Amino acid sequence: MDQHIVDGSAGELHARDLIAESTEHGIVRPTVWWCRPTDPAIVVGSAQARGACGAPPMPKTDAAGRPIIARRSGGGAVLVGEDEGIWVDVVLGRDDPRWIDDVSHSADWLGRVWSRALADLGVGGAEMYAGPVEGRWGPQVCFAGRAGGEVLVGGRKLVGISQRRTRLGARFQTHVLRRWSVDPLIDVAVV
């Protein structure tokens, strides 16, 4: 796989069309994008950013002044930043042998990769979750729920995965926790 390291604000990194940037001569090359946000931000999923009928619009910043950014993939809110976790996006074309049409299992291969990588780094008990979407608060707060392909250690999510699909391929957005606190996400979760 090709690999790139990209730095920028969370908004800049989410605004990039990594599928297009991974495409050469009409073919999407499998590519790993190591995303390094320059400042902390809260990133919300596409459905969360739209809100429900009658819901107030998503604020531009949280109470601490961190920007609130919407990503084009699904899932709940995540605090990103250098101290919060490791953000790695992976792009696959529809013609890649790892491609799976069933969205509920399409990230399983990536969860297995993360599980092996974490084991190689000495993280014991990392295993890919293969069940249905679980967790009452998962749609609002990413690491409060779990979905297929995500990686758990001791029953707790360590690697969150969301995805954005186009006619050419998919951008799998992964985040590996370094630390986690729900406190910065509470206001966003209840908006």
Side-chain angles (χ1 to χ4, degrees):
M1 279 194 175
D2 293 343
Q3 292 194 45
H4 301 280
I5 298 172
V6 290
D7 298 308
S9 70
E12 292 167 340
L13 295 171
H14 280 288
R16 292 181 75 150
D17 185 348
L18 297 185
I19 296 173
E21 291 184 49
S22 302
T23 302
E24 190 174 299
H25 307 296
I27 298 171
V28 178
R29 297 178 52 85
T31 308
V32 175
W33 295 87
W34 296 86
C35 299
R36 299 188 310 191
T38 52
D39 296 304
I42 293 178
V43 179
V44 298
S46 56
Q48 195 174 13
R50 286 191 299 271
C53 283
M58 185 65 64
K60 302 269 188 234
T61 61
D62 72 351
R66 288 178 289 246
I68 298 174
I69 307 298
R71 64 180 176 266
R72 295 179 69 192
S73 59
V78 177
L79 178 60
V80 299
E82 182 180 350
D83 296 333
E84 308 309 323
I86 301 166
W87 174 0
V88 181
D89 288 359
V90 179
V91 172
L92 282 186
R94 287 185 175 269
D95 60 345
D96 190 282
R98 290 165 285 215
W99 181 270
I100 296 175
D101 286 332
D102 181 350
V103 176
S104 62
H105 293 288
S106 60
D108 289 359
W109 70 272
L110 188 52
R112 287 189 292 274
V113 168
W114 270 118
S115 295
R116 285 191 305 272
L118 291 165
D120 289 348
L121 292 170
V123 177
E127 57 187 10
M128 184 203 69
Y129 177 73
V133 174
E134 282 187 354
R136 176 180 178 203
W137 293 103
Q140 287 80 29
V141 177
C142 176
F143 286 88
R146 57 184 74 167
E150 295 181 322
V151 179
L152 311 178
V153 174
R156 295 183 173 176
K157 188 186 329 185
L158 180 61
V159 180
I161 303 175
S162 66
Q163 63 182 288
R164 166 84 174 144
R165 290 176 168 227
T166 71
R167 62 179 180 80
L168 295 175
R171 175 182 182 176
F172 295 90
Q173 298 189 281
T174 72
H175 192 260
V176 183
L177 289 179
R178 285 190 178 160
R179 64 181 181 164
W180 187 71
S181 170
V182 73
D183 294 345
L185 305 173
I186 293 292
D187 290 338
V188 176
V190 297
V191 168

